Amino acid sequence: MSASPAISPTFPLAGRDVGRVGYGAMQLTAGQQPDRRAGRDLLRQLIAMGVRHLDTAQFYDGVNDLIREALHPYGDDLVLATKVGAVGGEGALRAAQRPTELREQVEDNLSTLGIERLGLVYLRRTDRRPGIVGEGDQVVQLDDQLAELAALRDEGKLDAIGLSAVTLEQLRRALPVGIGAVQNAYNLADRTREPELELAAANGVAWVPFFPLGSAWSARADIPDFGRLMTVTSLPEVTSAAERLGTTPAQVALAWLLQHRENVLLIPGTRSAAHAAENLAAASLDLPADILDRLDAVPAPGRARRP
């Protein structure tokens, strides 16, 4: 039986040490007419709870405006992470991958957030599903995109460059430019991106998985047993662990991610302050070694044990 690893409470991101559970702001305006007052209140509560890593995007239908209304002027210890590579509202996104478009998107994020320098900017590649796929002039060389983002970094527009939806080879090619974080799909039941996670960990790069509790997409051609991705919190190994520990299944699944690799940072989203507090508490949940072993053994594409 393997020993339970020590849980580090922070990890460096864009030049700051942040708590390993932050907040993904997409849900603030997704899927329904937002309650702006409730959204502002939640963002302020998150800061009061100690969250110092907020993940947003200009194409999240007004989330940047809401963050600015709630939190501007921002504290120096807050990392605002955003994404470029697409434009439009959530219901009608289109690829915007050309270097000039990436620059325009960085400027748009700066404007709507009301700042002169972004903490972290992810390049969201559009090579494959899930999500939008770039075609025609939107099939752009990674090196050209990285050169533009590096220029923006040199100009003081951003602190760190991130990558999202990238392959192992793309991550290898990008590392010499200086990469601060990677966002790829990853959770207990979907570990197909384990090689990218291992490479990121070996180079001190933060790993910020999207779909940490399972996927909202209806189809994934690249994953054989997609049905399991929809039900991470329903896996018997997860529910039995939660019952034994007196926690929620979501807390168990999030804690497993944090203990799987020390460079993992989480950004679960919610509209509920109580739910956000539960997510943050997962960072303090030290899963016993026998539970970790059972979770490690859950059948999943790309499964690999903790080092």
Side-chain angles (χ1 to χ4, degrees):
M1 181 180 295
S2 58
S4 176
I7 304 174
S8 173
T10 64
F11 193 82
L13 184 71
R16 294 94 150 170
D17 284 336
V18 299
R20 293 182 63 202
V21 180
Y23 179 71
M26 181 176 68
Q27 286 194 29
L28 286 176
T29 61
Q32 64 183 48
Q33 186 67 26
D35 182 336
R36 301 192 72 82
R37 180 175 179 179
R40 290 193 298 269
D41 289 346
L42 175 58
L43 287 165
R44 290 165 183 156
Q45 288 174 293
L46 288 166
I47 297 301
M49 292 178 194
V51 169
R52 294 297 182 269
H53 173 200
L54 291 180
D55 185 88
T56 183
Q58 175 66 14
F59 51 79
Y60 284 170
D61 282 343
V63 170
N64 281 1
D65 295 321
L66 196 55
I67 290 173
R68 181 176 183 174
E69 291 172 20
L71 302 179
H72 192 277
Y74 312 107
D76 292 339
D77 58 348
L78 178 64
V79 175
L80 287 172
T82 189
K83 286 168 282 297
V84 296
V87 295
E90 289 178 66
L93 280 181
R94 63 176 178 83
Q97 294 275 299
R98 289 178 291 139
T100 55
E101 293 174 310
L102 301 182
R103 177 173 286 271
E104 290 170 359
Q105 292 164 66
V106 167
E107 295 291 353
D108 286 345
N109 276 279
L110 290 168
S111 176
T112 53
L113 288 167
I115 51 179
E116 296 182 354
R117 188 182 185 99
L118 294 161
L120 174 65
V121 175
Y122 289 99
L123 166 62
R124 204 308 186 180
R125 289 285 296 186
T126 58
D127 303 305
R128 64 182 188 274
R129 296 191 184 281
I132 55 175
V133 175
E135 299 176 344
D137 67 353
Q138 291 302 319
V139 179
V140 181
Q141 292 296 317
L142 176 63
D143 292 346
D144 295 336
Q145 296 173 314
L146 291 172
E148 189 69 24
L149 290 175
L152 286 160
R153 185 179 57 192
D154 292 343
E155 294 166 22
K157 303 284 187 180
L158 55 101
D159 290 320
I161 298 169
L163 297 173
S164 180
V166 291
T167 65
L168 181 64
E169 180 55 32
Q170 287 170 334
L171 178 55
R172 283 198 185 106
R173 285 171 52 196
L175 283 173
V177 176
I179 299 301
V182 174
Q183 269 194 33
N184 274 8
Y186 188 87
N187 58 58
L188 179 61
D190 173 9
R191 304 182 219 173
T192 54
R193 303 305 167 199
E194 191 81 31
E196 292 96 310
L197 168 53
E198 292 178 354
L199 182 60
N203 286 273
V205 174
W207 180 265
V208 188
F210 57 83
F211 304 151
L213 298 177
S215 173
W217 301 97
S218 60
R220 283 286 301 273
D222 56 330
I223 296 177
D225 189 13
F226 180 78
R228 293 180 66 85
L229 306 190
M230 308 286 287
T231 56
V232 172
T233 55
S234 298
L235 293 172
E237 299 90 344
V238 174
T239 56
S240 63
E243 183 177 356
R244 171 179 155 186
L245 299 173
T247 65
T248 69
Q251 287 174 317
V252 169
L254 295 175
W256 177 84
L257 285 164
L258 294 172
Q259 290 179 245
H260 186 63
R261 292 288 188 280
E262 66 178 7
N263 63 320
V264 171
L265 299 177
L266 302 178
I267 49 169
T270 179
R271 290 191 178 100
S272 162
H275 189 195
E278 288 183 357
N279 292 335
L280 288 167
S284 301
L285 179 58
D286 188 0
L287 299 175
D290 62 316
I291 288 179
L292 281 172
D293 284 340
R294 283 196 289 274
L295 295 175
D296 285 346
V298 168
R303 178 167 62 91
R305 295 181 60 82
R306 284 172 288 113

